[in-house]
Amino acid sequence: MQTLRRIPYYHQILSDMEQKGEQFVSSKYLAHFFHVDDTQVRKDVSVIGYKGKPKSGYSVSGLKGAIGDFLGINTENTAILIGVGRLGSALIEYPGLSEYGLKLVAVFDSNPVKQDKVIGGFTVLPMESLKRVIQSFDVGIAIITVPKNAAQGVCDLVVEQNIKAIWNFAPTQLSASADVTVRNENMAVGLALLSHYLKKRKAESAIFA
Ligand code: NAD
């Protein structure tokens, strides 16, 4: 599980290195970001199935490509976004999504005032067009950026249309059948964990003071 968590970060580090024109990376260098040892990095790389030469360093582009294949981000995934408010608009205009193989094909909002507006090159569509668009573009991922009280309803609508992957930004736990993967991006949870670690650290330093 920890390996799976680290792998996307390896990809990010390798992308940065590639941009700087670096060609080789050692397992030791990758290890220092995660406070693990280089043996662990080599184990992670073997999970990906990449056959590099750890002693002379892995090829940055080779390892990045292998991770991309492993994660499926070298293949384009079509996505729709629902809820074109502050966060939705920012995501639509964020160029980084395509770097991770995400191809946005349409955006939706239930508010008639927003419909027909153009954001980041996309005309905001009414929810009534959802079914037609999902079927015509063979959409794989639905990004949900609606308020939390509307998120479950939107989730049900996309699951009805056979969407199997949901990227949810609303701070609520969505319920969907077991064959649907829901990835929650919850800032409140992240912050709560951070404050828990901080509290623990303070308690530990009080004991040793
Ligand atoms: P917002 O109010 O600016 O935008 C929400 C949009 O969703 C609106 O355009 C609204 O018309 C639309 N909407 C509401 N109900 C809908 C429905 N049933 N179907 C389709 N569209 C619907 O809100 P926001 O700030 O963009 O936040 C969106 C979600 O993301 C919220 O759940 C929020 O908690 C979460 N979030 C926001 C931020 C942020 O920085 N703004 C950060 C993290 C998480």
Side-chain angles (χ1 to χ4, degrees):
M1 188 61 192
Q2 288 303 326
T3 294
L4 269 181
R5 286 208 182 129
R6 276 188 296 270
I7 288 173
Y9 291 106
Y10 291 152
H11 191 272
Q12 207 168 52
I13 295 163
L14 294 165
S15 295
D16 290 345
M17 292 180 76
E18 201 173 47
Q19 272 177 14
K20 287 181 195 149
E22 290 176 47
Q23 293 187 340
F24 293 97
V25 60
S26 67
S27 41
K28 202 168 175 180
Y29 178 74
L30 289 174
H32 96 274
F33 287 100
F34 305 94
H35 307 294
V36 295
D37 64 20
D38 45 338
T39 317
Q40 182 61 58
V41 171
R42 288 198 286 277
K43 278 189 198 154
D44 293 351
V45 171
S46 72
V47 169
I48 298 156
Y50 183 65
K51 305 254 183 289
K53 288 182 187 150
K55 284 206 176 119
S56 51
Y58 299 111
S59 147
V60 168
S61 61
L63 183 54
K64 183 183 158 227
I67 293 176
D69 287 341
F70 176 83
L71 295 173
I73 56 181
N74 291 343
T75 326
E76 207 167 59
N77 288 305
T78 46
I80 53 168
L81 180 142
I82 302 147
V84 190
R86 284 161 294 194
L87 182 62
S89 303
L91 283 174
I92 295 167
E93 296 192 283
Y94 176 53
L97 293 185
S98 61
E99 282 168 30
Y100 288 88
L102 200 81
K103 186 181 181 218
L104 206 55
V105 291
V107 304
F108 300 85
D109 201 287
S110 61
N111 183 348
V113 174
K114 304 236 165 145
Q115 292 158 15
D116 287 337
K117 291 222 162 89
V118 179
I119 312 272
F122 290 93
T123 303
V124 181
L125 300 175
M127 294 303 281
E128 291 70 29
S129 305
L130 196 69
K131 184 175 175 185
R132 177 182 56 78
V133 169
I134 291 177
Q135 286 169 359
S136 349
F137 287 95
D138 190 21
V139 173
I141 300 176
I143 306 172
I144 298 182
T145 47
V146 298
K148 71 173 176 184
N149 57 1
Q152 186 61 56
V154 168
C155 171
D156 295 344
L157 277 179
V158 295
V159 169
E160 242 171 61
Q161 297 310 319
N162 220 17
I163 294 274
K164 298 291 183 208
I166 294 175
W167 195 11
N168 171 42
F169 287 83
T172 184
Q173 213 59 33
L174 296 179
S175 128
S177 48
D179 61 338
V180 178
T181 303
V182 180
R183 164 81 208 177
N184 294 301
E185 295 301 341
N186 196 324
M187 283 169 93
V189 170
L191 194 58
L193 288 174
L194 202 59
S195 42
H196 171 71
Y197 290 129
L198 208 58
K199 193 175 148 197
K200 213 168 119 193
R201 214 158 237 250
K202 276 184 191 154
E204 279 164 6
S205 45
I207 290 170
F208 295 111

